[in-house]
Amino acid sequence: MAEQTTLDSLLEMGFDRNRAEKAVAHTGNQGIERAMDWLMEHEGDPDIDEPYVPPVGNVLGGSDPQLPSPAAQPTAEGADPDGGDQMIHDGDTKQPMTEEEKREQIKRLEDLMRVKQEERRERERAEEVDREKQRRRQGQELLQVKQKLQEDEMKKMVDLRQREKNDDKMAKQRVRDKIARDREERALKFGGGSSSRAVTSPSAEGPPSSPPSQGPPPAKKDYNECRIQVRMLDGSALTSVFKAQEPLAAVRVYIQMNGDAPEGQDFTLLSPYPRRVYTELDMEKPLQELGLVPSAVLVVAKK
């Protein structure tokens, strides 16, 4: 009878019969509150509205088939089957609720359901806030990683540019040293030399020696380098030599490191004759492809 009362209460509150029967069966008929909790927790289940099939021998509101029915119970000797024992049994039967009691119970259960629903909404809002915080935290971490990678790439480019400059400087110094040594040798050999040098006869000298070798003829310039002059915003100029295959971004990095522009100020580059403003796509192109080889003049302009 208690099981049937829970089911009836759920039906009077407006729950679907199929859902109400599932709630009563899955909670083991432990009260209306447990059944309502089960309904709210499983409200979004995909099979919540599938027909409920109770196990064999278990019918809501039915009696245990293993127990003998009251009619099969033996009566005491001399007892009237329609007499005193029937009165006692009827006295133990639970009286049905009045309409007023039903309304009060329904109101109490509706209030309880509203409280449960509000708690669930609060819990869902808190979970949504936590998910949003987690998403923002992950976004910030991803942005920091991306910025770190960009900074590392920029440092690598600057270091590579510095090493190339040092290598070029050392190579030019070696060339200057060799030229100086060649001049000294020619001066000693053809410029009269010192007075203590022994004078030899023409016969001892043998045939006149040929002039010292001046080295192989200079190779034809294939324009592997590019000389760039940059006019800054304040009228000053920067000049440097770049590889022909270096991107235009290398020139911008050089200006940022050696120019007097305020830190963080954005600028663009342009060629005066013919006038051309270089875009972000041009920054990835080699200087040779942009027609800046073997030399060019660039102008720094504010964006």
Side-chain angles (χ1 to χ4, degrees):
M1 189 67 183
E3 193 173 13
Q4 191 66 28
T5 302
T6 301
L7 179 61
D8 292 340
S9 299
L10 293 174
L11 293 176
E12 290 178 1
M13 292 176 64
F15 287 103
D16 181 71
R17 172 174 287 276
N18 185 56
R19 295 190 179 190
E21 290 178 353
K22 283 187 177 182
V24 173
H26 284 86
T27 57
N29 190 25
Q30 295 182 7
I32 185 68
E33 295 183 6
R34 293 291 299 275
M36 289 175 58
D37 289 342
W38 188 93
L39 283 170
M40 286 186 288
E41 290 177 2
H42 297 271
E43 183 178 4
D45 291 356
D47 59 345
I48 185 65
D49 291 321
E50 292 184 2
Y52 172 68
V53 179
V56 177
N58 181 15
V59 180
L60 293 178
S63 60
D64 192 342
Q66 300 298 329
L67 298 178
S69 61
Q73 294 289 342
T75 59
E77 184 177 357
D80 185 359
D82 296 329
D85 288 346
Q86 183 68 30
M87 296 290 292
I88 296 174
H89 181 72
D90 291 341
D92 294 339
T93 303
K94 184 177 180 180
Q95 296 296 328
M97 293 186 297
T98 64
E99 292 297 327
E100 181 66 24
E101 290 174 342
K102 287 183 179 181
R103 286 194 294 270
E104 291 179 359
Q105 184 180 20
I106 292 174
K107 183 177 182 305
R108 180 177 62 84
L109 294 177
E110 289 177 348
D111 293 341
L112 177 62
M113 184 174 63
R114 281 193 293 270
V115 171
K116 296 289 185 181
Q117 290 175 345
E118 183 63 26
E119 290 177 354
R120 186 182 62 178
R121 284 193 292 267
E122 288 294 333
R123 184 169 61 254
E124 291 176 351
R125 281 195 292 267
E127 292 174 354
E128 180 65 23
V129 171
D130 292 339
R131 286 194 295 270
E132 179 65 18
K133 289 181 180 179
Q134 180 70 13
R135 185 188 66 81
R136 292 185 180 181
R137 183 165 57 252
Q138 292 176 350
Q140 291 176 354
E141 292 175 355
L142 182 61
L143 180 61
Q144 291 175 358
V145 171
K146 186 176 180 180
Q147 291 177 348
K148 183 66 167 57
L149 292 176
Q150 291 178 348
E151 291 175 359
D152 293 343
E153 188 66 24
M154 185 65 68
K155 288 180 181 179
K156 290 180 181 178
M157 184 180 294
V158 172
D159 293 340
L160 178 61
R161 178 62 189 150
Q162 188 62 38
R163 285 197 299 271
E164 291 177 350
K165 287 178 63 177
N166 294 336
D167 294 342
D168 292 342
K169 185 177 180 180
M170 294 175 63
K172 291 178 182 179
Q173 185 62 39
R174 286 194 297 269
V175 172
R176 286 194 291 266
D177 294 343
K178 187 176 184 304
I179 293 174
R181 287 196 301 271
D182 291 344
R183 287 177 179 176
E184 291 177 0
E185 292 176 358
R186 286 196 298 271
L188 292 174
K189 192 167 186 179
F190 300 102
S194 62
S195 58
S196 61
R197 187 172 57 180
V199 179
T200 59
S201 62
S203 59
E205 291 179 358
S209 61
S210 60
S213 174
Q214 299 298 322
K220 185 178 179 181
K221 188 72 173 179
D222 57 356
Y223 300 119
N224 291 328
E225 296 182 345
C226 174
R227 183 180 180 86
I228 300 292
Q229 183 183 41
V230 182
R231 296 177 183 173
M232 303 299 293
L233 294 172
D234 58 358
S236 60
L238 297 176
T239 303
S240 183
V241 177
F242 299 85
K243 298 294 183 182
Q245 296 301 322
E246 282 192 88
L248 185 59
V251 179
R252 182 166 63 180
V253 172
Y254 174 79
I255 295 172
Q256 291 173 344
M257 294 185 61
N258 298 278
D260 295 332
E263 183 177 359
Q265 180 179 2
D266 198 5
F267 62 87
T268 185
L269 298 175
L270 58 89
S271 295
Y273 304 107
R275 181 178 176 83
R276 176 180 177 180
V277 178
Y278 296 100
T279 63
E280 291 296 329
L281 294 178
D282 295 330
M283 294 297 167
E284 304 299 328
K285 297 180 180 179
L287 299 175
Q288 190 172 22
E289 182 179 340
L290 295 173
L292 302 177
V293 176
S295 63
V297 176
L298 298 178
V299 178
V300 176
K302 294 180 178 180
K303 275 193 175 181

